[in-house]
Amino acid sequence: MDLAVHLPRSKDLSPSLLSFLDVRFRTKEDLSESPNLASELRNQCSDLESHLQGLHGRLASAVDAYASHSERIGGLFEGIRADLINLRSTVRDSGTSLDGTGVEKTERREQILALAKEVARVETVRSYAETALKLDSLIGDVEDAVSTSVTGKFKQLPLAANSEETRLIAIKFLKQIEDILTCIKISRPQWMHLLSAVDHRVDRALAVLRPQAIADHRALLTSFGWPPPLLGSGSVNSNAGNSPALANPLLTMKGDHKTQYCENFLALCNLQELQRQRKSRQLEGHNLEIALRQPLWTIEELVNPIYVASQRHFSKWVDKPELIFTLIYKITRDFIDSMDEILQPLVDRARLSGYSCREEWVSSMVTSLSTYLAKEIFPVYVGHLEEDSSTGIRSPARISWLHIIDSMIAFDKRILSLITNSGLLISIEEDDNLQRISSMSVFCDRPDWFEIWMEIELDDVLMRLKPEIEDEKNWSTKIQGAALLGYDDYRSPAVSGAVLHHLSAVIDRCRPLPSVPLRARFIRLVGAPIVKEFLDCQLRRCQEAEGLTALADDDALIKVANCVNATRYFESVLKEWSEDVFFIEMTLCETRQSEIGSSESIFEEEILKMKGFRTEWLEKISTVILRGFDARCRDYFKNKKQWQDKAEEVSVVSQTFISVLDYLQGKISKLEGDLNEVDFVGLWRSLANAVDQLIFAGVLMSNAKFHDGGVERFRGNLEVLFGVFRSWCLRPEGFFPKSNEGLRLLKMEQKHLRQAIGDGKEKWLRDNGIKHLTSAEAEKIAKHRVFKV
């Protein structure tokens, strides 16, 4: 009973152990069966020991064969064996105690619990040992196959008739290893040291296997005549479409050559897929798309010898880059069908997912061209620019730059058509994919060259644009057919169309750039200065007109109106362009990279400047007209006696006011014929508002006394004024609210008008629909109304 004090409490035991003990010891009589249970457990331990001895024998033989690689694992299992022997001794002693001393039930439960835990641990060790042995055996097979493939001795692998079969066997073993490692990473992540050890040995095997496979592949390509002669007649002209197709060894190979090539091709594809799976496992949780995307090795091996053979031709054509692009395009086009017909089925058979031989062929050819341009062509052109830096804009070096850019743009369009016209689903929309099939990707890695190109491009377009801007005929001739093209008739001069044509051409030159940030920067540094130059030219013309006549004569107004029309048309086109996906992408890209905030368009700054320009000069036109109107109204405003006439003596309209309205109507009518409709509407409305203010201040707020005849005269004057503006609207009264409401007050009866002076006048004004006059203004008008006694 003293021993029971040291036994664990039943609530401290696990449910599984309690269940086991409850099944074995349901009653006190079951305690008599404890010797049999102990014997059964000893037998299980004995079986485990026998099994372990068998495993130890296998492990010992493996250690003998691979002692240099397995010492640590062997030591681990020696320790496991010793622990199990100790466990067996403990269980044997426990059984003796049960037989001889009759220990209490709780003590037996504790011993059985410890035994069960040890059995679980031994099972884990057994699984680890079996997995380690299997991996060790497979890696040994891989190392044997790799060694055999390199040395050329095939006695150890009777199934392999040659080195290619040996390599395929090695790849098969490597795939089995990778499957096991993937399973371990998912189900046994704590075995990371085992994973690391296996990866280390596999890496060493692959470091030998891949170079050997590639070397054999290259030798095989050479044996059947790859690369073929690139220039059958020894020359090439810029029109690749009229030249005969190149000989294609991929189409002519037969028999053993074809069989060997297909086997070697499959081996390389399988090896690349294996490498992709290993990287996917090792880089799990990182940016897999970038890490796993590699060119197809087999296609690279086709392109590399072509690139080497092409360089001896390229070196002769440094000053004729169009021939370089023509040759690359011709090679790409002539071999592209064999990629679909011969190689794509092999890639599909190797289950190398996500690869199109057509795309990979085009990409590798373009990449080789970009490499040559970056290493051999552009450094020479940069050197020529430095030598010719003082010879002017149209120096030979600058012309050469523009010429090679033209060749690159034309080449990229033709190359893109080889993919898009194939009818295959492709993934070239993303910048990373587009860079692989664009010769202009050289600018992605060399921003200094990109800056040089933009500077040359801007200088060239400004030089070509200058004579068109300076030609007065382009300012006097209107753009024809703008409404047919979907634009309103802005009466814009032809020069705005010429500038837009050059701007559009510049934008088209940046479209092939394989990077949205590069395209956005190009438009900022080349396109935007064109807009600025045009706007500056218009500003100079407007300032010149203002300086000569202060915009007093009609010719000056027409000159300013032309500039306003050109700006309005230009602004509308830029806004329409900004709705295109091409520009939206650049706007979003700039928004992501900027801390300032979102913008509606990549041309937002230029559009705002144009809007400011239009607003400024429309205000100046309005100010000039109002200044003339005010000067002609001075006598009219000073003649306060005209409002004091009796009704029977009144002429309907003031003659002075008639001459003033003739001036106003003439100016507005002239602008109606020269200014675009949108800005004209804004202009006459602003003039109406300003005239309303002038008349209200000069007549109604002038302290003049209004008799009945004066009220009638003022009504007649306003009717003539409304008649002038009725040419452009149906209800002109609404655009002269203060003068119109002042007249309404003057026309009220005396009894009714007195309420505008008394208490509650604000409410009275609201009730009578007087919304644009303050109570003070209404009171002043009412006090100066004189009624008959």
Side-chain angles (χ1 to χ4, degrees):
M1 295 297 296
D2 294 336
L3 294 174
V5 178
H6 303 290
L7 293 177
R9 294 174 297 177
S10 59
K11 66 180 182 179
D12 295 332
L13 301 177
S14 65
S16 58
L17 182 56
L18 286 173
S19 177
F20 173 81
L21 294 176
D22 288 340
V23 171
R24 290 291 184 171
F25 303 102
R26 293 182 179 276
T27 63
K28 290 184 178 181
E29 288 74 11
D30 291 337
L31 292 176
S32 60
E33 297 297 323
S34 57
N36 296 333
L37 177 60
S39 176
E40 180 181 346
L41 293 174
R42 282 195 299 272
N43 291 335
Q44 291 180 6
C45 289
S46 178
D47 293 338
L48 288 174
E49 184 179 14
S50 300
H51 184 64
L52 181 62
Q53 287 176 350
L55 292 177
H56 179 65
R58 291 176 60 191
L59 178 61
S61 62
V63 169
D64 292 338
Y66 308 104
S68 60
H69 303 293
S70 307
E71 290 182 1
R72 185 174 61 83
I73 296 177
L76 175 63
F77 286 109
E78 284 292 344
I80 294 173
R81 181 174 181 276
D83 290 342
L84 288 178
I85 292 175
N86 292 335
L87 173 62
R88 180 173 179 274
S89 300
T90 301
V91 173
R92 184 183 295 113
D93 294 342
S94 174
T96 302
S97 176
L98 289 171
D99 287 338
T101 62
V103 179
E104 294 295 331
K105 181 178 179 180
T106 53
E107 183 180 13
R108 294 170 188 149
R109 286 181 175 180
E110 181 183 29
Q111 293 172 347
I112 295 172
L113 173 62
L115 182 61
K117 289 181 178 180
E118 191 67 20
V119 169
R121 189 182 71 83
V122 171
E123 178 62 24
T124 301
V125 172
R126 182 190 66 79
S127 176
Y128 185 93
E130 289 180 348
T131 303
L133 284 171
K134 185 174 183 179
L135 288 171
D136 189 70
S137 176
L138 287 171
I139 294 175
D141 292 338
V142 169
E143 291 170 341
D144 279 346
V146 171
S147 176
T148 301
S149 176
V150 173
T151 60
K153 298 177 181 179
F154 309 108
K155 296 179 181 179
Q156 300 177 16
L157 295 171
L159 295 177
N162 52 46
S163 61
E164 196 59 55
E165 293 184 10
T166 306
R167 189 176 297 118
L168 290 173
I169 291 174
I171 295 173
K172 177 182 176 181
F173 290 147
L174 286 169
K175 286 185 175 180
Q176 293 178 11
I177 293 172
E178 184 59 32
D179 291 342
I180 295 174
L181 295 182
T182 301
C183 183
I184 290 174
K185 185 167 185 178
I186 296 173
S187 60
R188 304 280 188 177
Q190 67 272 24
W191 293 0
M192 62 181 66
H193 295 296
L194 177 60
L195 288 173
S196 178
V198 174
D199 275 337
H200 177 68
R201 293 180 64 181
V202 170
D203 285 337
R204 290 198 302 179
L206 288 174
V208 177
L209 188 61
R210 180 187 172 185
Q212 181 63 35
I214 290 177
D216 291 348
H217 190 78
R218 290 173 180 173
L220 192 58
L221 288 173
T222 303
S223 68
F224 64 78
W226 188 272
L230 302 181
L231 294 177
S233 61
S235 62
V236 64
N237 59 63
S238 58
N239 190 357
N242 296 331
S243 57
L246 300 174
N248 190 346
L250 294 176
L251 297 176
T252 58
M253 62 179 179
K254 297 178 180 178
D256 292 340
H257 266 150
K258 186 172 183 178
T259 301
Q260 292 175 11
Y261 178 76
C262 291
E263 290 178 352
N264 195 275
F265 190 98
L266 283 171
L268 270 182
C269 288
N270 287 325
L271 200 57
Q272 185 167 3
E273 176 62 13
L274 172 67
Q275 186 79 348
R276 188 194 66 81
Q277 292 176 357
R278 296 187 72 241
K279 289 294 182 182
S280 178
R281 170 177 56 82
Q282 294 169 348
L283 299 175
E284 185 177 356
H286 297 78
N287 194 335
L288 290 179
E289 185 176 353
I290 295 177
L292 298 180
R293 182 64 199 182
Q294 290 185 336
L296 201 57
W297 296 349
T298 49
I299 300 298
E300 279 192 322
E301 295 308 315
L302 290 173
V303 172
N304 288 338
I306 288 179
Y307 173 63
V308 173
S310 300
Q311 289 189 58
R312 68 174 180 267
H313 301 293
F314 293 167
S315 61
K316 306 173 186 176
W317 300 334
V318 174
D319 296 328
K320 295 181 179 180
E322 68 275 7
L323 298 182
I324 297 177
F325 291 102
T326 299
L327 180 58
I328 289 293
Y329 174 75
K330 177 176 173 56
I331 296 171
T332 306
R333 182 202 60 191
D334 289 351
F335 291 105
I336 199 167
D337 289 337
S338 61
M339 302 297 141
D340 291 336
E341 298 169 5
I342 298 176
L343 302 186
Q344 187 63 48
L346 296 176
V347 171
D348 296 339
R349 180 178 167 188
R351 297 183 179 179
L352 196 56
S353 60
Y355 283 96
S356 163
C357 285
R358 174 181 284 262
E359 288 185 54
E360 291 300 318
W361 168 253
V362 172
S363 171
S364 295
M365 289 298 297
V366 174
T367 300
S368 67
L369 171 62
S370 300
T371 302
Y372 187 81
L373 292 175
K375 289 183 177 180
E376 305 295 340
I377 301 296
F378 275 102
V380 174
Y381 279 42
V382 172
H384 290 168
L385 271 179
E386 294 173 352
E387 295 171 1
D388 295 349
S389 58
S390 61
T391 60
I393 294 177
R394 300 297 292 179
S395 67
R398 287 173 173 260
I399 294 175
S400 296
W401 263 84
L402 295 175
H403 180 53
I404 194 173
I405 295 298
D406 291 339
S407 299
M408 294 170 73
I409 293 173
F411 172 81
D412 285 353
K413 289 181 179 178
R414 299 172 76 187
I415 283 294
L416 186 60
S417 68
L418 290 179
I419 298 179
T420 56
N421 294 339
S422 65
L424 299 175
L425 293 176
I426 56 175
S427 55
I428 61 173
E429 289 81 6
E430 298 295 332
D431 282 356
D432 292 339
N433 293 328
L434 194 57
Q435 288 181 22
R436 298 170 54 236
I437 59 170
S438 173
S439 62
M440 301 189 82
S441 61
V442 295
F443 294 120
C444 296
D445 300 323
R446 292 302 301 263
D448 53 334
W449 294 349
F450 188 55
E451 297 287 336
I452 292 173
W453 172 34
M454 289 190 292
E455 178 186 348
I456 295 174
E457 196 75 44
L458 177 60
D459 291 342
D460 179 71
V461 71
L462 290 179
M463 184 192 67
R464 289 185 284 110
L465 189 59
K466 184 177 180 181
E468 298 189 48
I469 291 180
E470 293 177 349
D471 187 356
E472 285 297 327
K473 184 179 179 181
N474 286 333
W475 290 94
S476 59
T477 305
K478 304 295 183 181
I479 293 179
Q480 301 298 323
L484 297 177
L485 297 176
Y487 300 103
D488 293 331
D489 186 7
Y490 293 120
R491 300 173 183 173
S492 176
V495 67
S496 57
V499 177
L500 281 170
H501 173 74
H502 286 285
L503 179 60
S504 177
V506 164
I507 292 172
D508 287 341
R509 288 177 71 78
C510 82
R511 287 180 185 272
L513 284 170
S515 167
V516 174
L518 282 186
R519 294 196 287 269
R521 183 164 178 77
F522 188 93
I523 289 179
R524 286 290 185 203
L525 297 183
V526 181
I530 296 174
V531 181
K532 181 179 182 301
E533 177 64 24
F534 182 50
L535 202 56
D536 289 345
C537 176
Q538 294 183 88
L539 179 61
R540 290 192 296 270
R541 292 179 64 86
C542 290
Q543 289 174 340
E544 179 183 349
E546 184 183 32
L548 291 175
T549 64
L551 303 182
D553 66 344
D554 290 343
D555 290 339
L557 284 179
I558 293 173
K559 196 170 187 178
V560 173
N562 264 342
C563 291
V564 171
N565 292 342
T567 306
R568 168 66 75 173
Y569 174 67
F570 211 100
E571 180 185 340
S572 69
V573 174
L574 290 185
K575 286 182 177 179
E576 181 175 339
W577 286 359
S578 300
E579 297 174 359
D580 189 89
V581 175
F582 177 74
F583 296 99
I584 292 175
E585 286 180 342
M586 290 183 282
T587 303
L588 294 177
C589 177
E590 286 194 334
T591 300
R592 288 192 296 267
Q593 295 177 350
S594 174
E595 299 179 356
I596 300 176
S598 62
S599 61
E600 295 181 359
S601 167
I602 194 169
F603 295 113
E604 183 175 18
E605 183 178 348
E606 288 70 32
I607 291 174
L608 289 176
K609 288 181 179 179
M610 290 183 176
K611 185 177 181 180
F613 173 85
R614 286 190 301 100
T615 303
E616 177 186 355
W617 286 97
L618 285 172
E619 288 178 354
K620 288 188 176 184
I621 292 175
S622 177
T623 301
V624 168
I625 296 175
L626 288 173
R627 191 183 299 127
F629 178 85
D630 187 41
R632 288 166 174 78
C633 281
R634 286 174 187 171
D635 293 339
Y636 174 71
F637 292 152
K638 288 179 181 179
N639 185 12
K640 298 180 181 180
K641 291 183 179 180
Q642 63 181 320
W643 314 121
Q644 300 174 12
D645 294 333
K646 296 181 179 181
E648 59 270 14
E649 301 173 355
V650 170
S651 62
V652 180
V653 182
S654 301
Q655 294 301 316
T656 307
F657 194 60
I658 293 292
S659 63
V660 172
L661 293 181
D662 285 341
Y663 162 81
L664 182 63
Q665 186 176 28
K667 289 293 184 182
I668 297 179
S669 297
K670 183 63 179 175
L671 288 171
E672 182 183 15
D674 294 309
L675 196 61
N676 69 84
E677 183 177 351
V678 177
D679 287 321
F680 173 72
V681 170
L683 178 65
W684 76 252
R685 288 184 176 183
S686 68
L687 285 173
N689 180 68
V691 168
D692 181 43
Q693 297 288 344
L694 287 174
I695 292 175
F696 181 78
V699 177
L700 297 176
M701 294 288 106
S702 65
N703 296 320
K705 301 292 184 178
F706 280 88
H707 292 257
D708 291 344
V711 172
E712 187 63 22
R713 183 188 296 272
F714 184 61
R715 182 196 63 77
N717 291 345
L718 288 186
E719 282 296 330
V720 177
L721 175 64
F722 296 159
V724 170
F725 282 88
R726 194 167 278 115
S727 301
W728 306 297
C729 62
L730 296 176
R731 293 186 66 257
E733 299 87 353
F735 296 97
F736 299 89
K738 297 181 78 70
S739 299
N740 195 36
E741 290 182 356
L743 178 61
R744 287 176 57 192
L745 287 176
L746 291 175
K747 291 168 64 177
M748 288 182 180
E749 296 180 358
Q750 183 177 8
K751 180 181 178 180
H752 193 51
L753 188 58
R754 285 178 181 175
Q755 299 182 35
I757 304 175
D759 296 336
K761 49 192 171 185
E762 290 84 2
K763 182 177 182 302
W764 181 86
L765 290 174
R766 291 195 302 270
D767 292 343
N768 285 272
I770 308 299
K771 302 178 180 179
H772 298 87
L773 301 182
T774 65
S775 58
E777 291 170 341
E779 183 177 357
K780 186 174 182 178
I781 293 172
K783 285 181 177 180
H784 287 81
R785 176 70 167 95
V786 179
F787 293 94
K788 292 181 180 180
V789 178

